[in-house]
Amino acid sequence: MGSIFSINISCDALFSCCLDCTAKQVTFTSELEDNLDVLQIELQKLIETRSDVMRRITIAEQQQMIRTDQVQGWLTRVQAVEAEVDELLKLKSQEIERLCFGGFCSKNCMSSYKFGKKVVKKLKVVSVLKGEGGNFQVLAERAPCPLVDERPIEPTVGLESTFDQVWRCLMEEKVGIIGIYGMGGVGKTTLLTQINNKFIQMQYDFDVVIWIVVSKDLQLEKIQETIGKKIGLVDDQSWKNKSFEEKAIEILKCLRKKKFVLLLDDIWELVDLTEIGVPQLPSFETASKVVFTTRFIDVCGQMGAHEKFEVKCLTDGEARKLFHKKVGSEVLNSHADIPKLAETLINECGGLPLALITIGRAMACMKTPQEWEYAIEVLRTSASKFTGMEKVYSRLKFSYDSLPNDTIRSCLLYCCLYPEDYSISKTDLIDCWIGEGFLNEYDGSRARNQGYYIIGVLLHTCLLEDVCLLEEEKSDDYIKMHDVIRDMMLWIACENSKIEEDEKEKLLVCAGAGLTKAPEVEKWARVRQVSLMENQIKYFSETPTCPHLLTLFLNSNRLQSITSDFFNFMPSLRVLNLSKNLSLFELPSGISKLVSLQHLDLSKTNIKRLPKELEALSNLKCLNLENTYSLSTIPRHLIKKLSALRILRLFKCNFLIESDDSQFFVEELCCLEHLNVLTISLKNSKDLQQLLRSQNLQTSTQSLCLKRFYDSKSLTVSSLAEMKNLDRLHLYECCDLEELTIDCKWKVQSIHDSHIFYNLHTVDIYSCFKLRDLTWLALAPNLKRLRILFSHMEEIISVGKIGEVSEMMGIAQPFEKLEFLELRYLRKLKCIYWNPLPFQQLKEIRISDCPELKQLPLNSDSAKERKNIVIVGEKSWWKKLQWEDQATENAFLPCFESIDDDSETEFDSEAELEEECEEAEDENDFK
């Protein structure tokens, strides 16, 4: 019974199950069409829900957020279900038709059942997805900041070397802060961008690289916010409510745990990083870095940069490559004349990338020589009107506007009176500034110190450039203004629309323009400054009327004469420069009309006499008569009547060498109470002693030339050392002079005097045949240039004398600051110095006709970091040189530049040497 009952129960259950199954099949089949309609409606609702979700996601992603994984998974599932439902809906008509015409066929019934089951299943899935889509609380979250944000950059030219130096420094642990400086538009930001993007290209163990543009308008709060955002602190809800100091503490806590690189672009002043919250660097815990760009080298010091790198203008080859890239080969090859014209435009840019790019782009569609010639003319005569250049000037003008005061701005503007690429003597420039009244003080050294301070400011802001000129006639320090900066200055002074209309014509600058005639006098009427220097003008046939004229540069022309009435209508003129007019033999009496004149430069002219009418120039503060080799007459009492003189330059003035009145003239100098700068040539010891008896003249003397000095066999160094400000000393044709002695009593008194020849930087010894040595030069620690020509001395620093000098004066080694050494026609010279010297500043050595000089005071240590040193001499002399070791010879071999042995003249007698001496001096003087 049990088994039968069990079988009965099983049969009932099976029947019930089959009944349910059949019911479901019937349901799946009978309600198929309705379910399909519902599925289509539900799918549409799901799509609408997805659209709502996507709209919210799009808004979030525009705010730099990223969708959550949960949402992304839901969107993926919705997409899959949508495709599956679309496929079912495509089969809808087939299954309905099968149900209607063959529904009781077992085969059709099974197919419809399966299809209906799929529809019900997808309907449930769609419903679930639709519900999930409406319940999302968070769709997107703020994305974590990447290690580095890539910045757009064009292919660069000429930055490779500087980049490599900065990058190597960036990898050194001991360096925490790196400064990159240079003039505006030179490529500092481009270099910093290269550094930023390098971290993307290569894997380094820094946690984060932060880029911040600082700019002129320094806002520490913005810098702090940028850092906070990059390191994820801004996401904290409490961040906005925190004070500046509290945010700094949070940043400090976070950055101390990270190895970071902070890139600060375009700094104009000190940015106090600790105030923002940046840890002090270098930190050996994290080895983090700060790299910044600035236009001012001073900022590198203020920021505490451990290393600084200057981004310089491009070389000629680099400039050509960049310009050609911007113009394009199609244009450059469109006419045979265009490449040559392109060179002219490239030169006008002076290697400044910003200008090269701007001008190159402007020329990229110009395929005729006429268009290029016109562009050159526009750039030379009115550069601001060249396409894009006004934007260049506006960008550079920020540096000008940021100068500390109007005085410094006026001094900078003054430099545009000089021609393009002109090397400006710092001494001459400061003399002019004093004459113009730009500097505050005339008395003592304060005005000159202020002038050098201003030059320093302009150099540090990269608005002026230092120039190294080692030639014997260029013993002063020089600067120059970049061509594009000069054009920008002229634009500011003459064309900038923001200045007052009556100020627009204050400059007339035609310097270095190749003029043979002066501009029409009508153009002079409203001007305040005229520069016609470096032209070919011979005459002024008209008399200009220019009541506002303050400055007149006529130097370096071919002036033969000046009419007496030329100066009649220049009552305000303060600075007049007539120097380097070799055909000018006299001054007109009408110069007396220049009653406001404060600066008169007659140097390197052939004027034979000073007119008595100069007495009328009672306001004259600077008179330059240097290198006036024909000047034979200065009326007695004239100099004494120029009582306002502060600066008097008489170095290599022929009058003091040839005149019998030299003694009376020195007496007149003693009457100049305000004199604080004197350069002078003297011919005998009496005149020298008379000058030294005046405390004022002794202190004022900066340059001294002792020529001939026939009455002396020896000269005590102590007498020259009394001139505390002596910076240049020339001994010319002192044929009887045998030695410069060091007085023992004076030595004892001066042991602790750190100012013995402290300012002396240039020494020139010419035709002093009997002079035995120059051991006293060990007393000149800052000597930069030394020239010795035509002498029979056997050693420059005497082995026997240097020990005594070193012991008494506490001197270590001579020539520590020497930059230029020239030795010529020293037939008996055997030794410069018996031991090798470091020569830390040496740039050039020139040796000729010194056959006994077999060894230079150099060793391998002297060559360290001296890659740019040049040694010039005859091949035959070079081959016979003896070196301390092979390493030294190998180090200096690339430095040698040969001169033709046949170009050097052999002299058999002292008389021939003296004759050559006279000829050489005349050639130099009138070069």
Side-chain angles (χ1 to χ4, degrees):
M1 287 293 292
S3 298
I4 296 174
F5 179 78
S6 175
I7 292 171
N8 289 337
I9 293 297
S10 296
C11 290
D12 291 342
L14 179 62
F15 177 76
S16 176
C17 181
C18 291
L19 188 62
D20 289 343
C21 235
T22 303
K24 286 182 181 179
Q25 290 175 5
V26 171
T27 302
F28 288 155
T29 304
S30 63
E31 297 180 3
L32 175 60
E33 190 170 2
D34 291 339
N35 287 343
L36 282 169
D37 291 338
V38 173
L39 178 60
Q40 192 168 5
I41 293 170
E42 290 300 307
L43 178 64
Q44 184 58 40
K45 290 180 181 180
L46 176 60
I47 292 172
E48 291 169 356
T49 301
R50 182 181 62 184
S51 296
D52 291 339
V53 170
M54 281 302 304
R55 192 178 299 108
R56 293 165 61 192
I57 290 175
T58 301
I59 294 172
E61 288 179 340
Q62 288 174 349
Q63 299 173 356
Q64 307 302 314
M65 301 177 74
I66 58 173
R67 62 190 70 176
T68 63
D69 292 342
Q70 185 182 25
V71 169
Q72 181 58 48
W74 180 81
L75 290 171
T76 302
R77 292 192 297 276
V78 169
Q79 184 178 9
V81 165
E82 183 181 5
E84 292 168 359
V85 171
D86 286 341
E87 189 64 29
L88 289 175
L89 293 175
K90 287 179 185 178
L91 298 173
K92 171 182 177 181
S93 58
Q94 298 176 16
E95 294 301 326
I96 297 298
E97 182 178 346
R98 190 178 292 126
L99 180 63
C100 294
F101 296 101
F104 296 100
C105 172
S106 61
K107 184 177 180 181
N108 288 342
C109 181
M110 181 58 66
S111 173
S112 298
Y113 163 73
K114 290 180 179 179
F115 184 77
K117 186 176 181 181
K118 285 183 181 178
V119 170
V120 172
K121 195 173 183 179
K122 293 303 175 189
L123 184 58
K124 290 180 180 179
V125 172
V126 168
S127 298
V128 170
L129 287 173
K130 188 180 63 152
E132 290 176 352
N135 293 326
F136 285 125
Q137 298 297 319
V138 177
L139 294 176
E141 296 175 337
R142 190 161 299 279
C145 290
L147 167 65
V148 189
D149 294 318
E150 184 173 6
R151 302 187 64 80
I153 185 174
E154 293 186 6
T156 60
V157 173
L159 290 175
E160 295 81 9
S161 176
T162 309
F163 174 84
D164 290 341
Q165 292 179 55
V166 176
W167 189 261
R168 282 196 300 269
C169 192
L170 196 61
M171 295 299 107
E172 293 180 11
E173 289 188 4
K174 64 180 180 180
V175 178
I177 303 176
I178 300 172
I180 300 171
Y181 70 97
M183 65 184 292
V186 81
K188 302 182 298 297
T189 299
T190 302
L191 178 60
L192 197 67
T193 303
Q194 281 185 307
I195 293 169
N196 178 83
N197 292 353
K198 179 79 169 180
F199 286 105
I200 299 173
Q201 300 166 9
M202 305 184 73
Q203 296 297 320
Y204 293 97
D205 58 346
F206 288 98
D207 298 316
V208 63
V209 178
I210 308 168
W211 176 286
I212 301 174
V213 178
V214 179
S215 295
K216 191 176 180 181
D217 182 22
L218 176 61
Q219 297 184 40
L220 295 181
E221 292 82 2
K222 284 189 175 181
I223 298 175
Q224 197 179 57
E225 288 298 313
T226 304
I227 295 174
K229 181 179 179 182
K230 187 68 179 177
I231 59 180
L233 294 178
V234 176
D235 295 338
D236 186 348
Q237 295 296 322
S238 64
W239 174 262
K240 292 183 179 180
N241 299 323
K242 290 181 179 179
S243 66
F244 181 86
E245 290 76 14
E246 289 172 332
K247 290 178 180 178
I249 293 172
E250 292 297 314
I251 290 173
L252 181 63
K253 289 178 181 177
C254 185
L255 288 183
R256 272 185 173 163
K257 301 174 184 177
K258 295 180 180 291
K259 186 177 180 181
F260 65 87
V261 179
L262 180 59
L263 304 177
L264 301 171
D265 188 35
D266 200 20
I267 291 182
W268 289 71
E269 58 184 285
L270 171 65
V271 178
D272 192 337
L273 297 178
T274 56
E275 188 177 350
I276 296 169
V278 178
Q280 190 172 358
L281 299 177
S283 168
F284 295 103
E285 297 176 358
T286 62
S288 295
K289 309 288 180 180
V290 172
V291 187
F292 64 87
T293 67
T294 179
R295 298 188 185 192
F296 316 115
I297 191 173
D298 284 354
V299 171
C300 293
Q302 294 167 8
M303 292 292 295
H306 304 113
E307 294 287 347
K308 55 182 179 290
F309 299 90
E310 181 181 7
V311 181
K312 297 181 179 180
C313 290
L314 303 179
T315 63
D316 292 344
E318 293 167 345
R320 187 179 300 109
K321 183 178 179 181
L322 178 59
F323 188 80
H324 285 186
K325 183 180 291 187
K326 296 303 172 184
V327 173
S329 58
E330 181 184 355
V331 171
L332 290 168
N333 297 327
S334 62
H335 193 281
D337 293 342
I338 287 181
K340 186 176 181 181
L341 295 169
E343 287 297 313
T344 303
L345 283 180
I346 292 169
N347 292 335
E348 290 293 324
C349 297
L352 185 67
L354 179 61
L356 288 161
I357 292 170
T358 301
I359 295 174
R361 285 172 176 167
M363 303 305 296
C365 297
M366 300 185 182
K367 298 183 178 181
T368 67
Q370 292 79 9
E371 290 174 295
W372 283 76
E373 288 169 357
Y374 178 74
I376 292 169
E377 181 66 21
V378 171
L379 197 60
R380 284 177 169 173
T381 57
S382 186
S384 64
K385 295 179 182 177
F386 193 97
T387 304
M389 285 305 289
E390 188 161 343
K391 291 182 178 179
V392 173
Y393 295 155
S394 297
R395 182 170 166 183
L396 295 175
K397 188 173 177 287
F398 280 120
S399 297
Y400 170 81
D401 292 336
S402 297
L403 292 172
N405 52 57
D406 288 338
T407 296
I408 298 179
R409 280 185 278 272
S410 296
C411 289
L412 178 63
L413 279 168
Y414 202 82
C415 295
C416 72
L417 298 177
Y418 297 86
E420 290 185 356
D421 293 317
Y422 190 82
S423 296
I424 308 169
S425 162
K426 292 181 182 180
T427 297
D428 292 345
L429 183 61
I430 293 172
D431 283 355
C432 289
W433 287 348
I434 290 174
E436 296 287 354
F438 293 158
L439 307 183
N440 296 331
E441 297 289 340
Y442 284 111
D443 298 329
S445 59
R446 291 186 64 183
R448 308 205 66 75
N449 289 344
Q450 185 187 4
Y452 279 105
Y453 165 77
I454 290 173
I455 288 174
V457 170
L458 297 175
L459 288 171
H460 296 162
T461 56
C462 299
L463 290 169
L464 292 178
E465 306 170 24
D466 251 323
V467 179
C468 179
L469 298 175
L470 298 175
E471 301 92 331
E472 61 270 18
E473 290 193 353
K474 304 290 186 181
S475 58
D476 192 14
D477 291 326
Y478 287 76
I479 54 174
K480 75 173 185 176
M481 177 179 279
H482 189 281
D483 290 353
V484 177
I485 298 293
R486 179 179 181 270
D487 290 341
M488 188 260 292
M489 290 292 107
L490 290 171
W491 171 70
I492 289 173
C494 302
E495 302 176 40
N496 189 353
S497 60
K498 293 182 180 180
I499 65 175
E500 296 296 328
E501 195 66 31
D502 61 351
E503 291 284 308
K504 285 190 178 182
E505 296 184 32
K506 69 179 181 179
L507 287 184
L508 175 59
V509 179
C510 299
L515 301 181
T516 56
K517 294 182 179 180
E520 296 82 358
V521 292
E522 290 78 11
K523 293 183 178 180
W524 297 51
R526 298 175 62 184
V527 296
R528 300 186 180 187
Q529 294 176 313
V530 173
S531 177
L532 303 177
M533 67 179 289
E534 294 280 335
N535 284 296
Q536 308 295 321
I537 301 171
K538 294 182 179 180
Y539 306 100
F540 288 100
S541 56
E542 299 178 284
T543 302
T545 300
C546 32
H548 308 296
L549 186 64
L550 300 173
T551 310
L552 180 57
F553 282 7
L554 301 177
N555 45 308
S556 300
N557 275 281
R558 294 186 176 181
L559 288 179
Q560 296 180 1
S561 63
I562 301 174
T563 59
S564 182
D565 59 354
F566 179 76
F567 297 116
N568 281 1
F569 305 106
M570 302 179 186
S572 303
L573 191 67
R574 298 170 68 97
V575 172
L576 174 60
N577 192 336
L578 295 169
S579 68
K580 299 180 184 177
N581 281 291
L582 297 180
S583 300
L584 188 62
F585 296 101
E586 62 178 354
L587 291 176
S589 58
I591 198 170
S592 61
K593 299 293 182 64
L594 301 178
V595 293
S596 299
L597 197 66
Q598 300 202 20
H599 176 100
L600 176 59
D601 191 346
L602 301 172
S603 63
K604 295 186 179 179
T605 62
N606 274 315
I607 288 175
K608 295 181 179 180
R609 60 180 297 277
L610 291 185
K612 193 173 185 298
E613 287 78 7
L614 283 181
E615 293 179 356
L617 308 184
S618 58
N619 291 308
L620 195 65
K621 293 181 172 63
C622 177
L623 176 61
N624 192 341
L625 298 172
E626 289 194 349
N627 300 290
T628 49
Y629 298 102
S630 299
L631 185 62
S632 59
T633 304
I634 298 179
R636 281 205 181 185
H637 309 304
L638 170 62
I639 294 298
K640 183 167 62 174
K641 291 183 178 179
L642 299 176
S643 57
L645 278 177
R646 266 75 172 177
I647 302 167
L648 180 58
R649 301 193 178 278
L650 301 165
F651 191 76
K652 295 187 180 179
C653 173
N654 184 68
F655 171 76
L656 286 164
I657 303 302
E658 302 294 341
S659 173
D660 294 332
D661 290 341
S662 61
Q663 184 177 352
F664 300 104
F665 188 84
V666 175
E667 289 178 0
E668 286 189 48
L669 294 181
C670 296
C671 299
L672 298 176
E673 298 179 358
H674 302 292
L675 194 69
N676 56 66
V677 174
L678 175 66
T679 71
I680 193 167
S681 293
L682 298 174
K683 65 179 179 179
N684 55 56
S685 59
K686 290 182 180 178
D687 291 349
L688 176 61
Q689 293 305 317
Q690 186 175 8
L691 183 143
L692 291 172
R693 280 195 290 270
S694 167
Q695 183 66 38
N696 186 43
L697 295 184
Q698 188 184 102
T699 305
S700 300
T701 302
Q702 291 188 352
S703 299
L704 175 65
C705 176
L706 301 180
K707 188 169 182 179
R708 298 179 186 164
F709 239 64
Y710 293 139
D711 60 344
S712 301
K713 289 187 177 182
S714 67
L715 181 65
T716 59
V717 172
S718 57
S719 61
L720 301 179
E722 297 298 329
M723 302 175 182
K724 301 295 186 183
N725 294 308
L726 186 68
D727 59 25
R728 181 171 48 159
L729 175 64
H730 285 203
L731 301 179
Y732 271 34
E733 300 175 29
C734 300
C735 296
D736 294 330
L737 190 63
E738 296 179 2
E739 62 178 345
L740 276 76
T741 62
I742 302 173
D743 181 68
C744 291
K745 181 180 178 182
W746 171 75
K747 281 194 299 185
V748 173
Q749 293 174 344
S750 306
I751 288 176
H752 302 294
D753 189 349
S754 60
H755 297 288
I756 302 168
F757 292 119
Y758 184 79
N759 293 301
L760 187 63
H761 61 66
T762 300
V763 172
D764 215 359
I765 310 294
Y766 201 105
S767 296
C768 298
F769 296 102
K770 296 181 180 180
L771 204 57
R772 298 169 187 168
D773 63 80
L774 298 173
T775 307
W776 66 274
L777 289 177
L779 302 174
N782 295 311
L783 187 68
K784 292 182 179 180
R785 300 172 182 88
L786 174 61
R787 294 178 68 240
I788 310 172
L789 285 75
F790 301 104
S791 175
H792 293 158
M793 68 176 66
E794 295 185 9
E795 54 186 352
I796 294 178
I797 303 295
S798 170
V799 179
K801 295 180 181 179
I802 188 64
E804 182 183 0
V805 173
S806 299
E807 181 181 350
M808 296 299 295
M809 308 305 296
I811 295 166
Q813 291 177 321
F815 307 139
E816 288 186 346
K817 302 289 182 65
L818 195 69
E819 296 178 3
F820 177 72
L821 173 64
E822 181 176 4
L823 306 174
R824 296 178 62 193
Y825 307 119
L826 309 181
R827 304 294 298 277
K828 298 181 180 181
L829 182 67
K830 296 180 180 179
C831 177
I832 297 173
Y833 193 77
W834 63 93
N835 283 329
L837 295 170
F839 285 121
Q840 296 176 356
Q841 307 295 328
L842 192 63
K843 294 181 175 68
E844 184 174 338
I845 299 176
R846 301 186 71 89
I847 309 286
S848 64
D849 205 1
C850 300
E852 298 300 316
L853 184 63
K854 302 293 179 60
Q855 192 167 12
L856 296 176
L858 302 171
N859 62 11
S860 54
D861 290 334
S862 308
K864 288 181 179 177
E865 303 299 328
R866 306 299 309 129
K867 296 179 181 179
N868 297 324
I869 192 172
V870 176
I871 303 176
V872 181
E874 305 107 327
K875 284 183 181 177
S876 57
W877 167 79
W878 179 260
K879 289 179 180 178
K880 295 177 183 178
L881 270 182
Q882 300 170 5
W883 299 94
E884 183 173 276
D885 50 41
Q886 190 62 45
T888 303
E889 182 176 2
N890 294 340
F892 286 100
L893 185 61
C895 302
F896 179 66
E897 290 185 4
S898 172
I899 57 175
D900 187 357
D901 289 31
D902 295 334
S903 67
E904 299 299 328
T905 306
E906 296 290 332
F907 300 102
D908 297 323
S909 67
E910 185 172 304
E912 289 182 10
L913 272 172
E914 291 181 356
E915 183 179 350
E916 173 64 16
C917 165
E918 291 287 347
E919 293 177 3
E921 182 179 10
D922 291 341
E923 182 183 349
N924 277 333
D925 291 342
F926 290 93
K927 190 183 296 181

